[in-house]
Amino acid sequence: MTEESEAIRAVRLRHPWRVLAAIVLVLLLALFVLDAANRPAFGWAAFAQYLFDPRIMQAALNTLALTVYSMVAGVLLGVLLAIMRLSPNPVVKSVAWLYLWVFRGTPVYVQLVFWGLLATIYATIDIGIPFTAPWIQFETRDTIDVFWLAVIGLALNEAAYMAEIVRAGIMSVDQGQNEAATALGMSWTKTMRRVVLPQAMRIIIPPTGNEVISMLKTTSLVAAVPYSFDLYGRARDISAATFDPIPLLLVASAWYLAFTSVLMVGQYFLEKRFSRGIGMERQTRRGSDAGRSGAVTTATGPVPGVTTTAGASSAAGSGSVETDGNEPENRPVDPGQTPTGKESG
């Protein structure tokens, strides 16, 4: 009988400086909140008055519409550009690279200013054979609304970034997946839809969620088109009439924070949905590795020269022995050798 080992008394490691830093941060945050609550420049009464003003709420809906339309168009065009970047055709690949070079290399505000000047650059929209009299002619100013000009400008800029995100996701999928799908007789379209894109979504979703949140805030720049019925534009117009800009800025910030919070929750569940089985696979792999490094059970009875582990006596009684995993099973023993492996005298 072996003596029972003394129980280990674990002592939690203390972090006094970490606790002190946390207390200081909480105190600073409390002081800032108390100071902001008592500072008259913030105008909390006006903030409460305009937070749910009908004009602000309508502008918030317009901001959401700008975000959704721009992101949908940007994602679709970005997927197309990513496929063009991966095309073996050098002309198609060069056109996609040129698009990304232009739209990623110039500020989005400058691009929106150009879209606002579209009616000046192209006064009419002509349909017909080039260098001949047009069949149909439209006035650009009367054909395209400023809202859709803002959507076009935001979507074209976003497509350049989404193209690189989608391309990175597609390239993260092993080439053997494409080869296996081709061997099964799948077409290129079906391979992308059923094999490549579902695996690439795990890489695509996180940065795409960040792009949606960024797009929501980028809509505040559509005043360059000019479109002034977004959330920031309406808050700015109301503040110009009341001569009190700070409360209206806080109102716009509160709505932006509310929308961003909802988008972050949606992004979390999307990432969880497309990452199913990843953590489980790692846990299973760790468990199988631990099993391989543990004891091996054999059914050949006691093996000479092998030291059994604790509890092996009961296993030997049933005809099985646990080895240390380093000795081969059913190892023959030379009659001229002792059980320790040395030659007998």
Side-chain angles (χ1 to χ4, degrees), residues 198 201-202 205 269-276 278:
M201 291 301 289
R202 184 170 58 89
I205 288 295
F269 283 105
L270 275 177
E271 291 181 11
K272 187 176 180 180
R273 167 68 174 78
F274 284 99
S275 298
R276 291 180 302 173
I278 301 301

Side-chain angles (χ1 to χ4, degrees), residues 96 102 147 175 217 234 308:
V102 171
F147 175 84
Q175 184 63 27
K217 296 178 290 186
R234 293 302 288 163
T308 59

Side-chain angles (χ1 to χ4, degrees), residues 40-44 46-47 50 56 231-254:
F42 285 107
W44 296 111
F47 171 82
Y50 289 104
I56 294 294
L231 183 57
Y232 173 71
R234 293 302 288 163
R236 182 193 56 204
D237 294 343
I238 294 174
S239 65
T242 60
F243 300 102
D244 197 4
I246 297 178
L248 273 301
L249 289 175
L250 292 175
V251 167
S253 300

Side-chain angles (χ1 to χ4, degrees), residues 50-74:
Y50 289 104
L51 183 60
F52 296 105
D53 187 274
R55 294 169 293 180
I56 294 294
M57 297 180 68
Q58 182 60 45
L61 292 178
N62 293 338
T63 296
L64 282 180
L66 282 170
T67 304
V68 172
Y69 293 150
S70 302
M71 280 305 304
V72 170

Side-chain angles (χ1 to χ4, degrees), residues 29-103:
L29 179 62
L31 289 174
F32 174 79
V33 172
L34 290 175
D35 178 76
N38 297 320
R39 193 169 291 274
F42 285 107
W44 296 111
F47 171 82
Q49 176 184 354
Y50 289 104
L51 183 60
F52 296 105
D53 187 274
R55 294 169 293 180
I56 294 294
M57 297 180 68
Q58 182 60 45
L61 292 178
N62 293 338
T63 296
L64 282 180
L66 282 170
T67 304
V68 172
Y69 293 150
S70 302
M71 280 305 304
V72 170
V75 168
L76 294 177
L77 184 56
V79 172
L80 178 61
L81 288 169
I83 295 173
M84 292 172 65
R85 285 290 308 273
L86 297 173
S87 173
N89 190 318
V91 176
V92 174
K93 183 184 296 186
S94 299
V95 170
W97 181 88
L98 180 64
Y99 180 97
L100 268 62
W101 176 63
V102 171
F103 282 90

Side-chain angles (χ1 to χ4, degrees), residues 206-219:
T208 302
N210 293 335
E211 288 298 315
V212 174
I213 295 173
S214 177
M215 175 61 71
L216 176 69
K217 296 178 290 186
T218 306
T219 55

